[in-house]
Amino acid sequence: QKNMTELMAKPLIPADQQDYAYFAKTMKESFDEVKMLRRQYMSPDAVEAFFGLEESFSEFSVKNIEIQADVSLSDSEKQQRKQALENKMPEQMRVTAEASRARIDLVTQAQTLINDGADSGSVRRLLESKFESPEVEHILGFYRQEQQWKGRLDSYLSRKQRLVQDGLSDTDQQKQLSRLRQEYFNEDEIPRLKAEEAIARKVAANSSASDQAFEQAG
């Protein structure tokens, strides 16, 4: 029998192959197995008492991603189905979801202000309308860290591009790239760096494919 640790340890496919359909399938499989495990060891009444709301929200999340993954739907149709799905949520869950969405929208507004160069005082006043002071400082601290990360990442990618173009042998190039990574990032940051580089490659590949399609169409 599988336990929770084994479920969480499932291998993931490469990052560049992960899309909404993959996430929907993975979430549904994991959710169904968790539900099955609970019912192996607990009565239906106990499951409902302890996990009823959690399972309702998990089911809502899975269906939400399944809608997003449906390529046959237009953006407006997806939005309509998501709204219909939300209307069927239990009242307690709907209120929680609405409050969470309002806070997320506010954080998004704050991020836009920061990206546009707004001063921290303006951003702090905006956030204080929904968040307590410790939360505001945590959010502002996170954005400061993200700005520092982006600065390091941009500098690293620029130097990496020049290094790759230097015509070094594969062995020398890998050594130089390793030194460059160590210069900008610590060991804990390497997994995130690899993810960022994979995203950059994906964006570049998509851009190249779009350019080729445009040229062929011309």
Side-chain angles (χ1 to χ4, degrees):
Q1 290 182 337
K2 295 181 180 179
N3 57 33
M4 296 297 290
T5 302
E6 290 174 319
L7 290 179
M8 296 302 294
K10 281 186 172 182
L12 298 177
I13 64 174
D16 60 357
Q17 298 176 31
Q18 297 176 16
D19 54 16
Y20 277 113
Y22 166 75
F23 286 129
K25 179 175 180 293
T26 302
M27 281 187 65
K28 187 175 189 311
E29 289 176 350
S30 297
F31 176 50
D32 288 345
E33 289 186 80
V34 168
K35 288 176 66 177
M36 180 186 68
L37 278 172
R38 285 171 177 162
R39 285 156 179 79
Q40 283 180 359
Y41 298 103
M42 302 172 67
S43 69
D45 288 344
V47 171
E48 178 61 29
F50 288 105
F51 303 107
L53 191 61
E54 177 188 325
E55 291 192 349
S56 293
F57 190 78
S58 296
E59 185 174 353
F60 166 77
S61 299
V62 169
K63 289 181 178 179
N64 214 6
I65 294 180
E66 287 177 336
I67 291 171
Q68 187 63 39
D70 192 340
V71 295
S72 69
L73 300 176
S74 66
D75 289 343
S76 60
E77 289 172 331
K78 289 179 181 180
Q79 190 58 41
Q80 289 172 3
R81 294 202 181 187
K82 288 180 180 180
Q83 187 59 55
L85 185 63
E86 187 168 321
N87 291 340
K88 296 178 182 178
M89 293 167 65
E91 179 64 21
Q92 180 182 352
M93 201 164 75
R94 185 162 58 248
V95 170
T96 301
E98 289 173 354
S100 176
R101 186 163 51 247
R103 287 159 67 93
I104 291 172
D105 288 344
L106 192 68
V107 170
T108 302
Q109 292 176 40
Q111 185 173 20
T112 300
L113 285 176
I114 290 173
N115 292 341
D116 290 343
D119 64 275
S120 59
S122 300
V123 179
R124 180 177 282 103
R125 286 191 293 274
L126 174 67
L127 292 171
E128 284 175 345
S129 65
K130 290 286 185 183
F131 296 93
E132 297 296 329
S133 182
E135 292 178 302
V136 170
E137 295 308 318
H138 177 75
I139 293 169
L140 291 175
F142 171 77
Y143 283 144
R144 283 193 292 269
Q145 291 176 352
E146 287 300 292
Q147 285 181 313
Q148 293 170 0
W149 166 269
K150 187 177 185 305
R152 283 188 291 144
L153 179 64
D154 289 346
S155 180
Y156 163 79
L157 291 176
S158 177
R159 288 182 59 184
K160 178 184 176 182
Q161 184 177 14
R162 293 198 300 271
L163 192 156
V164 170
Q165 293 171 346
D166 281 346
L168 300 173
S169 67
D170 288 344
T171 301
D172 288 341
Q173 186 180 102
Q174 290 305 314
K175 288 180 180 178
Q176 292 295 327
L177 286 174
S178 179
R179 292 194 188 99
L180 186 62
R181 282 193 294 268
Q182 292 173 7
E183 180 179 341
Y184 281 94
F185 307 100
N186 61 46
E187 286 300 316
D188 292 337
E189 293 173 322
I190 296 302
R192 179 178 178 182
L193 172 63
K194 291 181 178 179
E196 297 274 12
E197 289 181 301
I199 291 170
R201 287 194 297 270
K202 185 70 172 178
V203 170
N206 289 342
S207 177
S208 176
S210 296
D211 290 344
Q212 290 178 4
F214 180 79
E215 291 174 1
Q216 293 172 356

